[in-house]
Amino acid sequence: MYTRLAKVIAHFCGRPAVFVTAFGTIVLWGVSGPLFGFSDTWQLLINTSTTIITFLMVFLIQNTQNRDTEAIQVKLDELIRATQGARNALMDMEEMDDQQLNAIRAQYARMARLARRGESTAANGARNAAAGQEDAVADDDPDGEPLRR
């Protein structure tokens, strides 16, 4: 029930009319200042209202963001799984620790540098093997498990 309610409220609050209404409320509050002598009660009204609304919206926004992120991860995992030659070990990267992520990120950064220079990783790997060097872009994940390509 909370998820459904959060989705409806977040969708509603993202509309331009809601922004215009909120902006109009602030303008009305500002214009009414002289009528109330810029009193403490006048200031407390807007401060309390905006604090409560902001506090509640943080949870709604986080809920919708978490749901959207999970949906995107599932879709990306399906694309990786369905793509021939893709590294299936990347499907749960969000569960890896920082060391594992950094190792994979370094592999892809190296592949990008090689691509900018017009070299393929396979050609560079063969060249390094011929020179007796280990290729930094290995076919193993950071745990040493072979990756399916």
Side-chain angles (χ1 to χ4, degrees):
M1 185 171 137
Y2 172 75
T3 300
R4 210 171 331 138
L5 180 64
K7 186 176 178 181
V8 167
I9 293 172
H11 182 72
F12 174 78
C13 289
R15 294 175 180 223
V18 175
F19 174 79
V20 170
T21 302
F23 185 78
T25 301
I26 299 299
V27 169
L28 266 164
W29 171 80
V31 170
S32 70
L35 293 171
F36 295 99
F38 298 102
S39 69
D40 288 344
T41 303
W42 173 79
Q43 292 180 32
L44 187 61
L45 175 69
I46 197 70
N47 288 337
T48 303
S49 301
T50 56
T51 300
I52 290 169
I53 291 168
T54 302
F55 180 75
L56 295 174
M57 286 305 294
V58 164
F59 295 103
L60 291 174
I61 292 168
Q62 188 61 53
N63 177 272
T64 56
Q65 184 67 43
N66 288 347
R67 220 176 33 253
D68 288 347
T69 299
E70 288 174 14
I72 289 169
Q73 287 301 322
V74 169
K75 291 173 186 179
L76 289 173
D77 288 348
E78 176 60 14
L79 289 173
I80 291 169
R81 188 199 61 76
T83 303
Q84 186 174 13
R87 296 169 67 174
N88 287 344
L90 301 179
M91 287 175 38
D92 68 345
M93 282 184 71
E94 65 277 5
E95 303 299 326
M96 293 179 180
D97 63 30
D98 288 342
Q99 184 179 4
Q100 291 170 315
L101 285 174
N102 288 336
I104 292 172
R105 190 177 300 118
Q107 288 176 352
Y108 280 95
R110 182 168 182 276
M111 284 190 265
R113 282 192 307 275
L114 292 172
R116 281 191 295 276
R117 291 191 313 221
E119 300 177 35
S120 75
T121 56
N124 193 54
R127 196 175 320 118
N128 286 347
Q133 300 171 351
E134 190 175 310
D135 188 5
V137 182
D139 285 338
D140 293 340
D141 74 8
D143 292 328
E145 295 293 319
L147 299 175
R148 191 184 115 211
R149 288 188 170 241

